Every structure is written in C-alpha cells, then in structure tokens.
C-alpha cells in the first residue's frame, strides 16, 4: 500500500520536474530508478520498496558506471563458464491453489511499477488444460510478484481469468466464424510515473477448428496498481489495423523521458519507436520511429508503421545487419555492463544478447547465452530482482507449461 504521505510527495516531485540528466540506481538492483531532477539541485528517486528518496545531485550518490568491458562475441563464447556463466535454477512457481494445480503457459514478463513487480503472462492454464484442470484459462493474466524472482503471488486466486489484464474493448468487432475467440498478446509494462504505466496488446481473432487466425490490430492500455491485482484499462479503439508492426511486443522500456517500443519488422528485424512518457502514449500519431540505417534520426510518421516498412529500423553489427530475435524478448539497462541489453531467442533454440550504449542502438553483434536448451519462447528477463547491481540477472522461457528460469552471472 502506498501511504498518503508517499503519494503526495510523489505527486509533488514527479510532476514538477525537468528531464533527469543522470541515471541513479540507489537500490542497487542494476536497473535505473524512476528519478526526477528538481529545480533546487536535488533529484528524487523511487526505490524498489516504493519509497521516494531525495538527495543533492552535486554531492552524494554517483550515477551507475560501467565496471566492465565485454569482449567480442567469439571471446565471450570461450569465456562461458569462467568469466560469465549461465545455469538453470528451477521453474517459476506460483503460490496457493494455482501452484497446486500446475499453472503454466506461454510466457510471463515482469515489470516494475511503484513498489510492485507486475508479472504479465500469456495463454495461461493449469495442468490438464482449461476444460479439466478447474483453474480456467486466461489469454493474458497479470499478478503481483513476491520478493523472489522464482515465485509469483497467486494466493487466493482460483480461476486464472479472474486476473485478466488487457482484454478486448466492448467496441472491438467480435470474432466472425470460423474464428470464435480473441487473443490479446501483451507486452511488459513501462512506468509513466509512480502510479501509472502503459502496456500494449496485439488483438487477434482465433479459435477456428483449423487453427487459422485473423490479425486485428494494436491496442494500448493504462496500467494502475489495484489492491488485489494490476489493472489494465483500455484507452480508445484499436490504434491500428492488422498490417502494422505488433507495437512493443518484443519489449518496451521506460528510459529518460521516453517509452521505447521494440517491435519485429523492418530491414534489420527490429523497429524501435519512442513517445513521451505521458498521456502521449495513447496517441498513435505521437510515436516517432528511428530511421533505418541511421543512429539518431527519428521521424514521426503520424501512424504506426507497417511490419514490412523499409523506412524504419535499428542497426546491429550482427552478420547481414539482422537481429535474430523471435517474436518476444526483453530490453533493459544493465548497470554492471553499463549498457542497454536485448535478450531474445532465435528459432526457439538460441538465446542471444545484444548490447548498446543507447536504448536505440547501434547494437553489437549477437552474444550467445544459451544454446540448444530445447524450446525457448521469449526470453523474458527479470532484472528488477537483481541484488548485485546487475552482475547477476535472471530470465525465463516458456512455452506451453512451466517456465524455466535461468541465472546469468558476469564476472569480468
Ligand atoms: C501519471 O500518468 C498518467 C498517464 O498514464 C496521468 O494520467 C496521470 O495524471 C499521471 N499522474 C501524475 C501524478 O502525474
Ligand atoms: C501474496 O499477496 C497477499 C495479498 O494478496 C499477501 O498477503 C501475501 O503476503 C503475499 N505473499 C507473498 C509470498 O508475497
Ligand atoms: C554456456 O554454457 C552452459 C553450460 O554451462 C550452456 O548451457 C550454454 O548453452 C552455453 N552457452 C553458449 C552460448 O554456448
Ligand atoms: C531446436 O531444438 C530442437 C530440440 O530441442 C531440435 O529438434 C531442432 O532441430 C532445433 N532447431 C534448430 C534450428 O536448431
């Protein structure tokens, strides 16, 4: 619960502010805090526990600095097991009835809003399927976390759909036969301020006996912290028709004054967009996209680009200039590396990492993290749980059942 003192402080600080010039990681989890620079030479940052701290920027706490330099990808591969390591540490667990019934699904992403970790998942049901397991089905439920990266708090929840998150809008046209149901593929959450976040969903019609589906378009939701669960409130009709990028479904990231959206498409395989971290996020015409081949030219096309766009895209020095990412992944700033990191999985077999000095590239070539584990869908990083400045972080992979959790440790 946020105390009213905290709320009024945050209302004061988080609205009356200029651009944060520096990043701070006061709680040491390796992820920059949500901070604002105040006009009196102080900055205010929201810590992991939801408390707000204010300090003089001229003195005290330094911004996080890179402590290491990554070698090239070939050397990195040789260093596996010595200078860095990866290990499977178990499956993501849920609490209460849903754990007892074997809740699983396709993917669970984690995000931080205020003092809460939000887990937003995809196509979740219990062992035995939605007809016989007795815990129902949800195309996209969201839950609060616990203090452990390995445990989601589902205490008191008996039907998984009681925690539906981004759902179709009453005004969205209903599925037409042979399709009979909606699908809402949902992004992670990016904080706009201490109390509100944003998430994106791509809506489809599905449920046909032949497995066919129909793309409908992108939706945007406002996210708030309900007492029992995170709440997603749809804002407006679909932002787009069916042929655009799936906005933010690779991942989204709050950084500085912007929300960055990473979407599959364009010449390199990823299109990055950005929009002011404000009510602007709800307006398709407010989004800018990085021009393909450029490192810093943004254009505001007035609408969300087509997936086949050749105009927009990020750059990687990977061979052929292409990222090898499947549909989903994660993007976050890692304090230990002093770099932005993309984690994603190619062909459901190879989990890779790319690094960059900015949230929009240019990105490195790919660094292999995990090879041949078997089917991996995602990979969803959970950096908000790190306790050592990002030297160690976790990611999980579905699909279709339990989520395998991996721990990556750097020791350069
Ligand atoms: C937080 O952001 C939301 C936009 O999602 C906005 O409507 C609200 O007014 C903001 N609150 C504050 C305190 O700025
Ligand atoms: C789970 O959430 C409930 C409130 O819904 C709380 O009472 C309980 O302490 C939480 N459990 C954990 C392990 O965080
Ligand atoms: C690194 O080593 C681990 C075994 O310790 C292995 O599971 C993983 O796939 C290796 N990563 C790469 C990219 O080869
Ligand atoms: C991925 O792994 C599976 C076994 O886990 C294997 O059958 C398949 O050939 C692999 N795909 C690629 C592209 O390596």
């Amino acid at each position: 619960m946020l105390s009213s003192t905290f709320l009024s402080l945050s209302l004061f600080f988080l609205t009356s502010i200029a651009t944060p010039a520096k990043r701070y990681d006061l709680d040491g989890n390796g992820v920059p805090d949500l901070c604002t620079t105040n006009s009196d030479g102080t900055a205010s940052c929201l810590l992991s526990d939801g408390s707000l701290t204010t300090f003089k920027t001229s003195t005290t706490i330094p911004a996080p600095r890179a402590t290491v330099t990554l070698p090239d990808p070939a050397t990195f591969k040789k260093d596996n097991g010595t200078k860095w390591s990866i290990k499977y540490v178990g499956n993501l667990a849920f609490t209460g009835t849903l754990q007892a019934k074997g809740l699983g699904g396709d993917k669970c992403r984690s995000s931080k809003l205020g003092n809460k970790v939000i887990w937003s998942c995809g196509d979740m049901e219990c062992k035995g399927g939605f007809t016989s397991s007795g815990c129902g089905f949800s195309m996209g439920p969201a839950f609060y976390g616990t203090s452990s990266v390995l445990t989601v708090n589902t205490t008191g929840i008996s039907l998984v759909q009681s925690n539906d998150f981004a759902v179709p809008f009453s005004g969205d046209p209903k599925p037409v036969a042979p399709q009979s149901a909606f699908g809402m593929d949902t992004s992670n959450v990016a904080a706009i301020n201490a109390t509100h976040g944003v998430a994106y969903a791509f809506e489809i019609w599905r449920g046909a006996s032949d497995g066919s589906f129909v793309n409908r378009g992108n939706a945007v939701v406002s996210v708030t912290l309900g007492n029992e669960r995170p709440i997603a409130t749809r804002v407006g009709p679909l932002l787009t028709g069916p042929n655009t990028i799936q906005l933010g479904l690779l991942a989204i990231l709050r950084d500085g004054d912007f929300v960055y959206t990473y979407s599959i498409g364009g010449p390199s395989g990823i299109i990055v967009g950005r929009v002011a971290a404000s009510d602007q996020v709800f307006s398709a015409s407010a989004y800018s996209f990085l021009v393909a081949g450029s490192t810093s030219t943004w254009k505001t096309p007035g609408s969300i680009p087509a997936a086949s766009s050749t105009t927009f895209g990020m750059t990687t020095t990977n061979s052929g200039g292409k990222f090898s990412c499947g549909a989903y992944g994660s993007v976050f700033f890692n304090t230990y590396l002093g770099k932005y990191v993309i984690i994603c999985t190619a062909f459901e077999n190879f989990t890779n990492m790319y690094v960059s000095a900015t949230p929009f590239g240019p990105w490195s070539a790919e660094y292999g993290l995990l090879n041949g584990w078997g089917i991996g869908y995602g990979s969803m990083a959970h950096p908000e749980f790190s306790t050592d400045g990002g030297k160690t972080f976790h990611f999980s992979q579905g699909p279709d059942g339990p989520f395998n959790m991996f721990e990556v440790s750097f020791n350069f």
Side-chain angles (χ1 to χ4, degrees):
M1 266 297 97
L2 301 175
S3 71
S4 57
T5 313
F6 163 71
L7 272 177
S8 55
L9 278 175
S10 67
L11 290 184
F12 170 69
F13 286 116
L14 300 179
T15 52
S16 59
I17 359 240
T19 310
K22 281 181 178 169
R23 293 187 198 91
Y24 299 96
D25 178 22
L26 304 184
D27 51 19
N29 68 354
V31 180
D33 306 327
L34 186 65
C35 298
T36 52
T37 311
N38 307 314
S39 50
D40 63 356
T42 61
S44 303
C45 296
L46 195 62
L47 302 179
S48 287
D49 64 1
S51 66
L52 193 69
T53 183
T54 296
F55 54 93
K56 277 208 163 73
T57 53
S58 55
T59 55
T60 54
I61 309 124
R65 248 174 304 145
T67 36
V68 301
T69 311
L70 275 180
D72 63 84
T75 310
F76 184 80
K77 189 169 172 56
K78 290 194 199 106
D79 289 342
N80 187 358
T82 53
K83 297 199 165 150
W84 69 277
S85 62
I86 181 165
K87 64 177 187 210
Y88 163 70
V89 292
N91 291 340
L92 187 64
F94 299 85
T95 58
T97 315
L98 294 185
Q99 174 68 11
K101 291 187 170 172
L103 183 63
D106 282 346
K107 62 180 186 301
C108 279
R109 308 182 189 248
S110 63
S111 320
K112 195 75 199 274
L113 182 59
N115 63 340
K116 298 282 197 188
V117 170
I118 295 175
W119 289 86
S120 51
C121 303
D123 279 358
M124 301 286 282
E125 61 188 10
C126 292
K127 224 175 188 157
F130 64 91
T131 45
S132 54
S133 70
C135 96
F137 172 80
S138 171
M139 59 192 156
F143 312 98
Y144 289 135
T146 67
S147 55
S148 166
V149 68
L150 276 166
T151 313
V152 178
N153 194 342
T154 51
T155 299
I157 304 166
S158 53
L159 285 176
V160 67
Q161 65 266 34
S162 356
N163 278 52
D164 276 347
F165 192 48
V167 294
F169 197 38
S170 53
D172 294 345
K174 301 280 176 296
V176 171
Q179 279 74 36
S180 58
F182 282 105
M184 293 292 276
D185 200 354
T186 307
S187 73
N188 56 314
V189 176
I192 289 186
N193 51 39
T195 56
H196 285 67
V198 63
Y200 302 82
F202 193 76
E203 186 171 298
I204 62 169
W205 289 346
R206 61 180 175 176
S209 55
D210 62 0
S212 62
F213 62 89
V214 177
N215 286 341
R216 299 296 305 165
N218 288 284
V220 62
V221 296
S222 171
V223 179
T224 51
L225 300 171
N227 283 340
E228 309 272 310
R229 59 189 177 86
I231 312 281
T233 307
R234 175 74 172 273
V235 182
L238 291 174
L239 292 178
T240 71
N243 298 320
T244 66
I245 49 172
Q246 301 192 349
L247 189 66
L249 281 208
L250 180 75
I252 64 174
L253 171 71
R254 166 70 192 265
D255 189 72
D257 290 338
F258 294 103
V259 172
Y260 288 86
T261 58
Y262 302 86
S263 317
I264 298 294
S268 68
I270 302 180
I271 290 178
V272 61
R274 72 180 185 189
V275 63
S278 69
D279 281 349
Q280 297 261 297
V281 298
F282 304 121
S283 167
S285 61
Y287 286 75
S288 301
F289 295 88
L290 186 71
V291 171
S294 93
T295 52
S296 58
T297 308
W298 296 84
K299 268 195 185 155
T300 311
S303 58
I304 307 300
S308 60
S309 164
T310 52
T311 311
F312 300 110
M314 294 200 300
T315 301
T316 166
T317 53
N318 212 22
S319 69
K322 287 195 185 282
F323 294 93
S324 38
C325 291
Y328 313 116
S330 298
V331 184
F332 55 99
F333 182 81
N334 179 284
T335 303
Y336 182 71
L337 300 176
K339 295 262 197 278
Y340 294 84
V341 176
I342 300 176
I343 304 261
C344 66
T345 302
F347 310 113
E348 301 198 340
N349 288 52
F350 307 101
T351 304
N352 296 318
M353 171 175 94
Y354 302 83
V355 299
S356 166
T358 78
F360 45 87
W363 296 88
S364 66
E366 83 192 19
Y367 287 84
L369 287 178
L370 185 66
N371 277 354
W373 173 257
I375 303 298
Y377 187 76
S379 311
M380 302 306 155
H382 311 298
E384 50 285 304
F385 288 96
S386 294
T387 53
D388 54 4
K391 201 173 172 192
T392 302
F393 73 90
H394 294 83
F395 69 88
S396 61
Q397 303 191 148
D400 288 338
F403 302 97
N404 301 151
M405 187 69 74
F406 297 87
E407 182 181 288
V408 177
S409 295
F410 298 118
N411 192 21
F412 285 96

